[in-house]
């Protein structure tokens, strides 16, 4: 896994939707959300972004609490669980790519190990960008992850 430094993630006008989903249905949920924003008369202008806010262990499959962020063309009034966010901006990020959604926890551990070895301090959650996806597939996806790093020296 190759880590890239000094990366940047920025989008204006985002639809934010928080929910829980079984880990093995994560990709399908992200595809569904991105494909159905037209119900709110909105148009996506970028790739779907998500972050994991909680992991609830279960015997068969974990449950993820997630926030889905979809870049859209314009502001909108909040509607139910769909909330408008003006922007996401992460400067000075470390990023990496992976393909198997089942490896999220393992890739997070590798990332935090890389940060420790390089004396970097994360200051944001990890935000994942769904670059390429295939419905029902856990392994045929491309996901890029970003985490903001403190540029302070103390």
């Amino acid at each position: 896994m190759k880590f890239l430094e000094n990366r940047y993630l920025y989008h204006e006008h985002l639809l934010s939707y928080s929910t829980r989903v079984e880990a093995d249905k994560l990709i399908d949920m992200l595809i569904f959300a991105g494909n159905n924003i037209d119900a709110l008369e909105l148009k996506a202008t970028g790739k779907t972004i998500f972050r994991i806010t909680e992991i609830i262990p279960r015997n068969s499959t974990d449950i993820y609490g997630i926030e889905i962020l979809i870049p859209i063309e314009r502001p909108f009034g909040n509607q139910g669980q769909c909330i408008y966010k003006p922007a996401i901006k992460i400067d000075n990020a470390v990023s990496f790519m992976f393909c198997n959604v089942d490896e999220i926890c393992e890739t997070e551990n590798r990332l935090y190990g890389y940060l420790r070895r390089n004396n970097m301090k994360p200051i944001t959650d990890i935000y994942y960008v769904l670059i390429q996806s295939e419905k029902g597939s856990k392994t045929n996806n491309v996901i890029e992850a970003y985490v903001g790093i403190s540029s302070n020296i103390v």
Side-chain angles (χ1 to χ4, degrees):
M1 179 176 299
K2 183 175 181 175
F3 296 98
L4 302 173
E5 297 179 17
N6 301 313
R7 303 282 288 159
Y8 183 76
L9 178 64
Y10 179 77
H11 288 284
E12 291 182 342
H13 308 303
L14 299 146
L15 177 146
S16 170
Y17 177 75
S18 294
T19 190
R20 286 184 174 158
V21 63
E22 292 180 359
D24 60 354
K25 293 183 173 54
L26 174 63
I27 294 297
D28 291 345
M29 170 61 84
L30 297 171
I31 292 170
F32 177 81
N35 287 342
N36 287 285
I37 64 166
D38 59 343
L40 297 172
E41 299 179 0
L42 297 170
K43 180 182 172 193
T45 59
K47 304 291 185 184
T48 299
I49 302 164
F50 69 98
R51 70 184 176 109
I52 297 173
T53 58
E54 65 179 332
I55 299 175
I56 303 168
R58 289 201 13 216
N59 292 338
S60 57
T61 182
D62 290 344
I63 302 290
Y64 292 157
I66 60 172
E67 178 186 24
I68 301 170
L69 297 166
I70 302 173
I72 53 175
E73 79 280 356
R74 62 177 171 79
F76 71 96
N78 296 343
Q79 298 182 22
Q81 289 180 270
C82 296
I83 307 297
Y84 173 74
K85 290 195 172 182
I88 181 172
K89 180 179 177 183
I90 302 176
D91 289 323
N92 195 33
V94 170
S95 73
F96 62 96
M97 294 179 124
F98 62 100
C99 298
N100 186 340
V101 73
D102 284 342
E103 296 177 353
I104 283 181
C105 291
E106 181 183 329
T107 58
E108 285 184 6
N109 289 337
R110 288 183 189 172
L111 169 65
Y112 289 126
Y114 176 84
L115 298 178
R116 277 190 303 277
R117 286 189 304 279
N118 290 281
N119 298 314
M120 296 178 178
K121 181 180 177 186
I123 57 171
T124 68
D125 288 340
I126 300 173
Y127 285 82
Y128 301 93
V129 180
L130 189 60
I131 303 295
Q132 177 182 318
S133 59
E134 184 176 303
K135 187 174 182 177
S137 175
K138 293 182 180 181
T139 59
N140 195 20
N141 304 288
V142 178
I143 301 168
E144 187 168 19
Y146 292 81
V147 63
I149 303 302
S150 173
S151 59
N152 298 325
I153 300 173
V154 290

